[in-house]
Amino acid sequence: GGIITQTPKFLIGQEGQKLTLKCQQNFNHDTMYWYRQDSGKGLRLIYYSITENDLQKGDLSEGYDASREKKSSFSLTVTSAQKNEMAVFLCASRPGTSNYAEQFFGPGTRLTVL
Amino acid sequence: GDSVTQKQGQVTLSEDDFLFINCTYSTTTYPTLFWYVQYPGQGPQLLLKVTTANNKGISRGFEATYDKGTTSFHLQKASVQESDSAVYFCALDTNAYKVIFGKGTHLHVLP
């Protein structure tokens, strides 16, 4: 078995601030994902990475940067936090490109912008 | 483009009621379809998956059948328990790295 760790668990920021969220997995999975979860809107893909140093934009990439310097880690940066923004950011991983493979999710980082 | 539709945002049932959550999809490929469940304070976890090869998935009393004719993948359970209260997501995987999730259905089961 393995685990996905997301830090921090809670993140409180100020409007305009640059904020970084981190994700680590010990599954040795190739592909990693960042999703944003808002109430009533499901999971929306921000960035994904199919291997170390690869980055692919999802549908919601504007306002975010990502980095995959190691196979086991994937970080997400909110480039300028928006006032009153509240969301949960979920990191996930899965092996390779097989469409039979489930995604494994971390517990999430809960962002609040004051 | 590929899409998934879950119209039921919230479902409230009593224990031992029958559960039915609607999910329809649109794609030109032969997809693999998933149901994920998310409990409070946790990330989603796989509940069941179905491929074009096996057509039906069963797990923990839940079942879903892949119907290519109606492009549907509804989730059912004969008798829900309070512990089934969670958010359920239908998801479509077309083997293009990206997985498309529905908006989720929040299930409340009353004791």
Side-chain angles (χ1 to χ4, degrees):
Chain A
I3 192 168
I4 294 182
T5 304
Q6 291 189 241
T7 54
K9 191 173 177 65
F10 299 97
L11 182 56
I12 299 175
Q14 302 291 328
E15 185 181 14
Q17 193 175 1
K18 186 175 179 180
L19 303 168
T20 298
L21 293 70
K22 294 187 183 297
C23 176
Q24 295 268 346
Q25 55 98 358
N26 63 0
F27 290 99
N28 198 35
H29 285 165
D30 294 308
T31 309
M32 295 186 73
Y33 301 82
W34 276 108
Y35 291 94
R36 177 180 166 126
Q37 183 175 20
D38 295 276
S39 179
K41 293 186 180 179
L43 276 63
R44 293 183 289 173
L45 182 63
I46 305 172
Y47 268 96
Y48 65 101
S49 168
I50 62 175
T51 189
E52 185 178 324
N53 292 318
D54 174 75
L55 292 175
Q56 306 287 336
K57 292 183 178 181
D59 300 322
L60 205 66
S61 61
E62 187 171 339
Y64 302 94
D65 288 327
S67 174
R68 181 101 182 266
E69 294 176 352
K70 293 193 300 183
K71 186 176 183 180
S72 62
S73 66
F74 194 27
S75 63
L76 181 73
T77 298
V78 180
T79 56
S80 179
Q82 300 299 303
K83 189 173 175 62
N84 297 324
E85 182 175 6
M86 285 183 66
V88 175
F89 291 85
L90 292 165
C91 177
S93 72
R94 70 172 178 176
T97 62
S98 168
N99 70 351
Y100 299 103
E102 70 180 278
Q103 290 177 302
F104 292 85
F105 285 84
T109 292
R110 284 150 182 79
L111 171 67
T112 301
V113 181
L114 303 176
Chain B
D2 301 326
S3 65
V4 172
T5 301
Q6 269 182 271
K7 291 186 177 178
Q8 299 156 284
Q10 185 158 302
V11 172
T12 301
L13 298 171
S14 297
E15 279 199 324
D16 298 324
D17 280 351
F18 172 72
L19 171 69
F20 182 91
I21 300 178
N22 186 296
C23 173
T24 57
Y25 66 90
S26 174
T27 181
T28 57
T29 67
Y30 294 97
T32 296
L33 298 157
F34 299 86
W35 278 100
Y36 284 85
V37 57
Q38 184 179 29
Y39 298 103
Q42 298 181 24
Q45 58 185 263
L46 181 69
L47 178 59
L48 54 83
K49 69 180 180 184
V50 171
T51 68
T52 54
N54 57 22
N55 286 343
K56 189 170 189 173
I58 298 174
S59 174
R60 306 184 232 168
F62 292 87
E63 66 176 71
T65 301
Y66 168 44
D67 187 329
K68 189 180 175 186
T70 59
T71 61
S72 66
F73 186 55
H74 310 313
L75 183 69
Q76 303 180 72
K77 187 177 186 185
S79 175
V80 294
Q81 302 304 304
E82 191 177 359
S83 58
D84 293 326
S85 296
V87 181
Y88 293 81
F89 293 97
C90 178
L92 170 72
D93 184 347
T94 60
N95 199 27
Y97 297 101
K98 292 169 67 172
V99 178
I100 301 168
F101 285 82
K103 293 185 177 181
T105 298
H106 204 150
L107 172 65
H108 294 277
V109 180
L110 305 173

